[in-house]
Amino acid sequence: MRRRRLGATFALGVVLVGASAFAQPPPPRPVAPPRPSGSSTSMGDTGVDSSPELRAHFGADIAARMLRSPDANERLRGLARAAASKSPEALTLLVRESEPAGAARRDARAMIEVARGLAAFLSEQSAKTALVGIVSAPTTSAPSRPPGTTRVGPRDFTVDEADHAARLQLARQIAAIALASSGDPHAYESLIAIARSGGPGQAAALLALSMYPPQYAGALGSVTLTTPAMLRLAAQIGDLRAIEHVRGLSKTGDPLLRAAALLALAEMGDMRAVEIATAAATDRDARIRVAGVEALVLLGAPDRAKQVEALIGDDMTAASGVRLAERTFSPGIVKALAARAIASADPAMRAAAIVSLGRSPNVLAVQALVELMKNGALHSDVASAIARSPSPNAMAAIEAMALAAPAATKRLGVRAYVVRALGRRETSAKLDELVDRLASSADVQDRAVGVGALVALGKRALELALADKDVRVRRAAAVASLADGPRPAALSALLARIAGERDEATREVLAIGLLDGDPDGRVPTLVLLDRAESAASDAPLSVLALARRGDESHDAKVDAFLASRDPILRAHAARGVALGTYKDAVGRLAAAFAYEADANVRRAIVTALAGRTTDANAPARLETLRIAATFDPDRAVRSIAARALARFPAVAPGARAITETAWLHVATADGRPPPPNMTAALQRADGLAVPIAFDDEGFAIVPGVPPGEARLVLAPRLPAYEAPKLP
């Protein structure tokens, strides 16, 4: 599923196209990660060696022997030992391995290890040259398995092509960040050349330059600012020394360069660009028109609304105009959006226009949305937009919707009311009365919506709601309980129902009670293991709870989940290990971090290590956090690690948790409701994957969702973690 960023409310419509909509498990990963890791993040063997030259020499000599081993694990440990010795011999070895004929070019993990090792030698030109080679290294295929080998064992590294490519990109990013952090003008020149080239290392070079902008004069000038990517970089870092050159490019004949220059000037806040952008807004080239209007919006020009309206009315620029309509408002824009939503045959365009209408404070926007409600196919999108609208007449529109004659429209209105009441703290006596009526209705669909609303709004005890005789009501209550956060009493009430619940889909949703890892052990370990291996929506939270349990008899299973092919399972296993009683928890997490290419998993691992304050001075913890804070390409990972190293709390004391409400709707390709008892996992921005269930009309209103990107996995079939059996 595509990731979507949360706004005031998260709304996502999903179309089911049949059985192919359900993911099939790919081949399994290796059973367990190599532990102890050979990575420099592991402090096994000799640790970071600052010993005399003789000892360092022997360290490099041993590393050289290890690199001749046929075992891939041993070779990685050899690279880690070489990096730790920090001797001239080690530098020579690392440089050699980074060259086209070296091990790093055949194994992306080795490339990561070499990049981290070379970062310790930034004063040496040979190290910087080797790092440049890593950044610009061509994309290669994953190493093939030896002929006749079919078994995937615990010491056999994955040969998954996607993993290889992602790890190779991570190695490029680490190398680029190391080069930029050196402050060396020659290193900057190399990165700028790569950033301008458009080759495989361009993204890594641009990232590093944005993190450590060059400070010397002329770094970003007429010679280097000749591509759209470099212009975006200049705007991103706010280098005002380049502004006159960028102004010149805003009048160039190259449409792409001219468009990029217009946006760069606007992002730099150059008000002189208003005149240039106004002229560009009427250009014959659609790309320049869009860039000109966007620049006017960014600069707050007086006629920006009129120009956005013109973009919406033009078929060639309508999508860009609808996007910009979220940033500026006027009655003309409202009319243009409504016309586009009515006339467009493109579902994505209609949905985007409705979202923009829902973000307008103009009362005309809600009136337009009410008119769009006449189209039954748009009901979900329109109701969601009205629910989050900042317009003062939105609540009246929700009341009118909920008090309408059709029962389905009443339920839609109540869902919108819940979203608005939770998000904007607006209430309605009329709607409160309707919610009470629905909650006591004999109609199960009505009762599920009503009971869910009462639980979400804190007006009915979860224990009472979970006692309802119908499974659909119990599911709605369980999902609605998320509005109150991971409250121990609510989690306990959910877990207390699991053992006696016979309905499979309802048991999955009750697993919301595992959000804190079940510290009291209410769910038996064997049940957790079964659910963790079930590939159902509750598998991730079951993995978390199983790993937290710290049962030594299931150590191999936990290691297997840490090495799962699915990043969601890896992240939850890391969280559980950090909360458990393992004596080697820090070592396990450091090993898991060593070659992890998925940013969300790295966030989970670093968050887990940050929370291990009882191991605050453990060398593996400190080294992993240092690497994450210095070289990780993900800003969140760097921030979490840096705060942990500074011994700051992960969240500022007294900080209030801000949450959103997800509006989810699924339907078949022809608009019908999904199959009954449909479940899903919503992976939130905090990394936790929460099991949810859709009602009979295909809706799920999920409160308590942290702001940020989220991912919805429908009817999940998460990959099995076990290795295939030998024939």
Side-chain angles (χ1 to χ4, degrees):
M1 294 298 301
R2 175 172 35 183
R3 294 178 188 265
R4 299 283 300 274
R5 183 163 295 279
L6 288 165
T9 306
F10 179 93
L12 175 62
V14 183
V15 177
L16 303 180
V17 293
S20 61
F22 299 95
Q24 296 300 315
R29 273 179 171 249
V31 169
R35 188 163 53 88
S37 169
S39 168
S40 53
T41 62
S42 174
M43 305 302 289
D45 293 333
T46 60
V48 175
D49 195 348
S50 57
S51 54
E53 292 182 8
L54 184 63
R55 187 172 177 183
H57 171 77
F58 280 113
D61 189 54
I62 294 171
R65 289 204 305 271
M66 295 172 76
L67 283 168
R68 293 193 290 271
S69 170
D71 184 274
N73 289 9
E74 192 76 2
R75 293 195 298 271
L76 286 175
R77 281 193 286 270
L79 290 172
R81 181 180 283 271
S85 72
K86 299 184 180 178
S87 66
E89 293 86 354
L91 172 59
T92 301
L93 187 151
L94 291 170
V95 169
R96 185 189 71 198
E97 296 303 316
S98 72
E99 294 172 348
R105 296 301 178 96
R106 300 190 299 273
D107 186 339
R109 286 156 305 225
M111 186 82 91
I112 292 172
E113 202 69 74
V114 169
R116 288 174 179 155
L118 289 170
F121 297 93
L122 288 175
S123 60
E124 302 293 333
Q125 184 57 45
S126 61
K128 287 181 280 194
T129 301
L131 287 169
V132 170
I134 291 175
V135 178
S136 56
T139 301
T140 58
S141 298
S144 58
R145 191 180 303 282
T149 302
T150 57
R151 185 176 186 274
V152 179
R155 295 186 61 79
D156 179 36
F157 285 107
T158 177
V159 291
D160 184 84
E161 191 71 40
D163 279 355
H164 177 79
R167 285 172 174 155
L168 185 58
Q169 180 62 9
L170 178 60
R172 291 194 189 102
Q173 292 167 331
I174 292 170
I177 293 169
L179 284 168
S181 69
S182 72
D184 180 14
H186 295 296
Y188 275 126
E189 289 171 7
S190 298
L191 287 173
I192 289 171
I194 295 170
R196 295 173 60 208
S197 69
Q202 182 187 49
L206 288 169
L207 170 69
L209 290 168
S210 68
M211 288 173 58
Y212 296 96
Q215 300 299 317
Y216 61 93
L220 297 180
S222 58
V223 176
T224 57
L225 294 179
T226 56
T227 66
M230 291 303 296
L231 286 171
R232 287 192 292 270
L233 174 65
Q236 183 179 359
I237 65 179
D239 191 341
L240 299 183
R241 293 171 297 184
I243 201 164
E244 291 304 323
H245 177 65
V246 177
R247 278 178 59 82
L249 292 176
S250 67
K251 301 173 184 177
T252 186
D254 184 333
L256 292 177
L257 202 57
R258 185 178 172 191
L262 284 166
L263 292 177
L265 288 174
E267 289 172 8
M268 291 177 176
D270 185 0
M271 294 303 298
R272 297 174 299 172
V274 170
E275 182 179 352
I276 303 173
T278 300
T282 58
D283 195 273
R284 288 181 298 179
D285 192 299
R287 294 166 293 182
I288 295 175
R289 288 203 305 276
V290 169
V293 176
E294 186 163 359
L296 292 174
V297 171
L298 290 173
L299 293 170
D303 65 339
R304 62 189 183 281
K306 178 182 176 182
Q307 300 291 1
V308 170
E309 182 182 343
L311 288 183
I312 298 171
D314 187 335
D315 290 343
M316 292 185 65
T317 59
S320 297
V322 169
R323 172 176 58 84
L324 292 174
E326 297 182 15
R327 303 190 199 178
T328 188
F329 315 106
S330 74
I333 287 178
V334 169
K335 294 177 182 177
L337 288 171
R340 183 59 63 178
I342 293 171
S344 178
D346 180 3
M349 176 73 77
R350 287 201 308 266
I354 290 169
V355 167
S356 291
L357 285 169
R359 294 182 179 175
S360 173
N362 196 303
V363 295
L364 294 178
V366 170
Q367 293 176 11
L369 288 169
V370 170
E371 284 297 311
L372 289 171
M373 279 292 292
K374 296 176 181 178
N375 183 340
L378 303 180
H379 275 185
S380 176
D381 288 342
V382 171
S384 172
I386 295 175
R388 65 186 177 187
S389 172
S391 177
N393 59 338
M395 183 59 83
I398 294 174
E399 289 178 341
M401 186 194 318
L403 298 176
T409 308
K410 289 182 185 295
R411 292 190 290 269
L412 195 66
V414 169
R415 296 184 186 104
Y417 177 51
V418 170
V419 171
R420 191 165 191 84
L422 292 175
R424 293 189 170 269
R425 307 300 181 194
E426 290 185 33
T427 58
S428 162
K430 294 179 181 179
L431 293 175
D432 286 337
E433 182 181 346
L434 175 60
V435 168
D436 287 335
R437 289 204 308 270
L438 293 183
S440 59
S441 172
D443 184 283
V444 175
Q445 292 190 68
D446 283 352
R447 194 164 74 253
V449 172
V451 169
L454 288 176
V455 173
L457 299 176
K459 296 181 178 181
R460 176 165 294 186
L462 177 61
E463 294 84 351
L464 178 62
L466 291 175
D468 194 278
K469 62 182 180 180
D470 195 281
V471 294
R472 290 166 288 184
V473 178
R474 299 200 292 273
R475 292 176 206 155
V479 174
S481 70
L482 290 164
D484 206 19
R487 188 167 54 88
L491 299 181
S492 178
L494 292 165
L495 296 182
R497 299 283 312 188
I498 286 183
E501 182 57 65
R502 296 184 178 181
D503 180 70
E504 171 71 15
T506 307
R507 278 201 309 272
E508 291 181 27
V509 179
L510 290 173
I512 289 172
L514 297 172
L515 272 173
D516 65 348
D518 189 21
D520 298 327
R522 296 181 66 100
V523 180
T525 300
L526 290 180
V527 173
L528 288 178
L529 181 59
D530 177 67
R531 299 311 303 165
E533 296 175 346
S534 68
S537 64
D538 57 338
L541 290 183
S542 298
V543 168
L544 188 159
L546 178 68
R548 176 171 187 163
R549 193 69 47 93
D551 190 330
E552 292 183 0
S553 64
H554 297 300
D555 257 13
K557 303 283 189 183
V558 173
D559 277 347
F561 287 122
L562 278 172
S564 169
R565 182 174 294 278
D566 189 88
I568 299 177
L569 295 185
R570 296 202 300 274
H572 284 72
R575 287 174 177 270
V577 167
L579 295 171
T581 58
Y582 303 96
K583 294 180 180 179
D584 62 344
V586 168
R588 289 187 182 205
L589 293 171
F593 180 85
Y595 313 117
E596 179 56 63
D598 187 279
N600 286 322
V601 181
R602 294 201 305 276
R603 289 179 198 175
I605 295 171
V606 171
T607 300
L609 283 170
R612 295 284 302 189
T613 53
T614 54
D615 301 307
N617 296 318
R621 176 181 184 271
L622 293 175
E623 180 68 0
T624 303
L625 290 175
R626 183 193 66 78
I627 289 173
T630 308
F631 299 118
D632 202 279
D634 183 75
R635 179 182 297 178
V637 172
R638 296 197 303 273
S639 175
I640 295 166
R643 290 185 67 87
L645 287 171
R647 298 183 184 268
F648 291 156
V651 179
R656 176 178 171 269
I658 298 174
T659 60
E660 316 286 358
T661 301
W663 178 291
L664 307 175
H665 181 232
V666 294
T668 60
D670 56 359
R672 290 180 298 173
N677 306 322
M678 184 171 185
T679 60
L682 180 66
Q683 186 184 17
R684 311 183 315 191
D686 62 359
L688 290 171
V690 180
I692 62 171
F694 293 92
D695 63 24
D696 290 345
E697 295 173 297
F699 288 94
I701 306 302
V702 188
V705 181
E709 293 184 347
R711 179 189 179 205
L712 182 68
V713 184
L714 292 176
R717 299 291 183 265
L718 299 176
Y721 73 91
E722 293 182 344
K725 306 283 187 196
L726 287 172

